[in-house]
Amino acid sequence: MQLEYTFYIGASPEEVWDVLFNPEKSFRAFMGGVIQSNLQAGDPIRFVGPGPDGENTVHIYGEILAYEKYRVLSYTDHPGPSHFAEHETMQSRVTIRLEPVGSCTKLHLINDQWTDSNPLFLKTEKFWWMILSNIKSIAETGSPLDFGF
């Protein structure tokens, strides 16, 4: 199983990267969550935001597999402990690559290496479209999309 998306964004790789990692922008792109990590291979990564455990609910956690500023982020992906009791056995890998193309940026995301019977596959398939569309919108206009929730 694999999810794969390619977006062309009317902004530089640095501007797109800023949407991913600047908490003021990523909070809007990730619909209320921010990335917490030292951003070095082998270090933990967490997506944290409001949820069942309060303002700092861990929605996703994992380990950085590869990191190259403005170019690559790859990490393992587990659902947060408050979402599934068996969260440690549920895993996939996410790889985001940014590449300049003319005066825009090609964002290519692959979410693969899903563990068997991972119930998050269908939910994730829906939400990546929204998150990536938000990243594009914020990088190009400064504003997220209104999804009505």
Side-chain angles (χ1 to χ4, degrees), residues 16-35:
V16 175
W17 201 258
D18 189 48
V19 175
L20 294 171
F21 295 103
N22 177 334
E24 292 176 12
K25 294 178 182 179
S26 66
F27 184 81
R28 295 181 296 153
F30 292 109
M31 296 177 274
V34 296
I35 296 173

Side-chain angles (χ1 to χ4, degrees), residues 26-131:
S26 66
F27 184 81
R28 295 181 296 153
F30 292 109
M31 296 177 274
V34 296
I35 296 173
Q36 293 180 341
S37 179
N38 291 332
L39 300 174
Q40 296 194 22
D43 282 354
I45 185 170
R46 302 177 339 148
F47 289 80
V48 178
D53 295 332
E55 290 300 309
N56 290 311
T57 297
V58 175
H59 294 284
I60 294 169
Y61 72 94
E63 178 182 313
I64 303 267
L65 302 171
Y67 175 83
E68 184 182 339
K69 192 172 185 177
Y70 308 130
R71 306 253 319 136
V72 177
L73 173 66
S74 183
Y75 58 92
T76 59
D77 180 302
H78 296 270
S82 63
H83 297 290
F84 293 93
E86 65 279 4
H87 60 93
E88 292 175 342
T89 66
M90 301 164 63
Q91 180 175 301
S92 67
R93 177 181 66 178
V94 176
T95 302
I96 300 169
R97 295 188 185 282
L98 301 181
E99 176 186 339
V101 177
S103 62
C104 62
T105 298
K106 176 182 174 183
L107 184 156
H108 184 224
L109 183 143
I110 297 175
N111 193 178
D112 62 359
Q113 296 185 1
W114 291 83
T115 52
D116 292 338
S117 304
N118 191 327
L120 289 179
F121 183 83
L122 292 177
K123 182 178 181 181
T124 302
E125 183 177 33
K126 172 186 170 186
F127 279 104
W128 270 132
W129 284 111
M130 293 175 161
I131 290 167

